[in-house]
Amino acid sequence: MNIILLGPPGAGKGTQAKLLEDTRGMKQLSTGDMLRAEIAGQTEIGLRVKAIMDSGALVPDEVVIDMIAHRIEQPDCAKGFILDGFPRTVPQAEALDAMLAAKNKKLGAVIQLVVDEDALLARIEKRAAESTTVRADDNAEALKKRLTAYRDQTAPIVPYYEGKNMLKKVDGMAAVNLVSEQIDKILG
Ligand code: AP5
Ligand code: MG
């Protein structure tokens, strides 16, 4: 099955995607991770997006749409993929629909991790404190911008998928294992 994990920065998209990789053999496709790899490799894309990402703003739609279009065709996505951080705008959601139709693939579910915004700074700060490579956008200032981008540009995809009867909400404030249980129930 192919699914979307949707939620603001720090909602737990990456955490749950990794667990689904382990338990179901689905492939995590994190556009954030892909872009950070481009930056680390100092590729043309990396050089283009670095300042944008560091600030907490969204990179241009066509950059991530191209990445995902190529990625979902790879053999490791055959058992299903988890879109973590994509789509993030209505034009990205529309482009995803078009590419899935063209490749004869389907979306099984869009799972929204519903969280309390006030808890997210603490989560991001905890992650920064625990990791050896701290993300350039894991600071209070960039997080503020990431949350604004989520509210203004990403939240409109919620009604987009509600309109297609595809949206499932889970309580993202529950403990990690309880969030996983809710997702498992949805995926069956
Ligand atoms: P991206 O890498 O996707 O970052 P993000 O959306 O800001 O989200 P995070 O990765 O910070 O959070 P997460 O939801 O994965 O949470 P996690 O599981 O790590 O994007 C970064 C940037 O790339 C964007 O700002 C943009 O510039 C660009 N970009 C990427 N995709 C794009 C797109 N499609 N279009 C345009 N631009 C794009 O959890 C966070 C912390 O909380 C961890 O420490 C974790 O242990 C903890 N935690 C998780 N779950 C729980 C829980 N249930 N209870 C308590 N703690 C928990
Ligand atoms: Mg993530």
Side-chain angles (χ1 to χ4, degrees):
M1 196 194 294
N2 307 314
I3 66 167
I4 294 173
L5 288 183
L6 176 63
K13 303 180 295 293
T15 302
Q16 295 300 327
K18 289 209 168 65
L19 291 169
L20 287 169
E21 277 201 322
D22 294 344
T23 55
R24 292 181 182 251
M26 296 160 79
K27 188 70 194 165
Q28 176 191 17
L29 301 183
S30 159
T31 39
D33 288 350
M34 291 177 204
L35 291 166
R36 281 184 286 277
E38 298 282 347
I39 292 172
Q42 298 189 308
T43 65
E44 200 176 308
I45 291 176
L47 295 172
R48 184 171 165 205
V49 302
K50 184 178 187 319
I52 302 173
M53 265 183 90
D54 288 0
S55 77
L58 296 184
V59 312
D61 286 336
E62 80 267 12
V63 173
V64 285
I65 290 168
D66 276 0
M67 280 180 149
I68 289 294
H70 289 108
R71 195 59 191 82
I72 62 176
E73 289 182 333
Q74 304 302 311
D76 60 352
C77 289
K79 276 193 187 168
F81 50 82
I82 308 146
L83 294 171
D84 160 6
F86 181 92
R88 250 177 159 99
T89 63
V90 170
Q92 289 180 26
E94 290 167 347
L96 176 65
D97 279 343
M99 74 175 84
L100 290 174
K103 296 176 204 294
N104 243 323
K105 292 178 187 287
K106 280 202 162 65
L107 262 186
V110 180
I111 299 175
Q112 182 186 9
L113 301 172
V114 180
V115 286
D116 178 354
E117 267 194 20
D118 297 340
L120 300 179
L121 180 60
R123 284 196 189 180
I124 294 293
E125 283 177 339
K126 184 163 174 278
R127 181 174 65 190
E130 285 169 355
S131 56
T132 44
T133 49
V134 177
R135 278 172 48 172
D137 60 352
D138 269 355
N139 56 71
E141 197 192 342
L143 178 66
K144 212 171 152 194
K145 195 149 181 192
R146 285 154 67 195
L147 285 169
T148 304
Y150 182 80
R151 277 191 295 261
D152 294 350
Q153 292 169 272
T154 306
I157 75 174
V158 170
Y160 179 87
Y161 286 115
E162 274 172 340
K164 292 174 178 286
N165 264 326
M166 295 189 76
L167 195 84
K168 310 277 183 199
K169 292 180 198 263
V170 305
D171 173 16
M173 293 308 292
V176 170
N177 64 314
L178 298 179
V179 177
S180 302
E181 277 180 20
Q182 297 175 71
I183 294 174
D184 270 333
K185 274 202 190 116
I186 291 167
L187 301 185

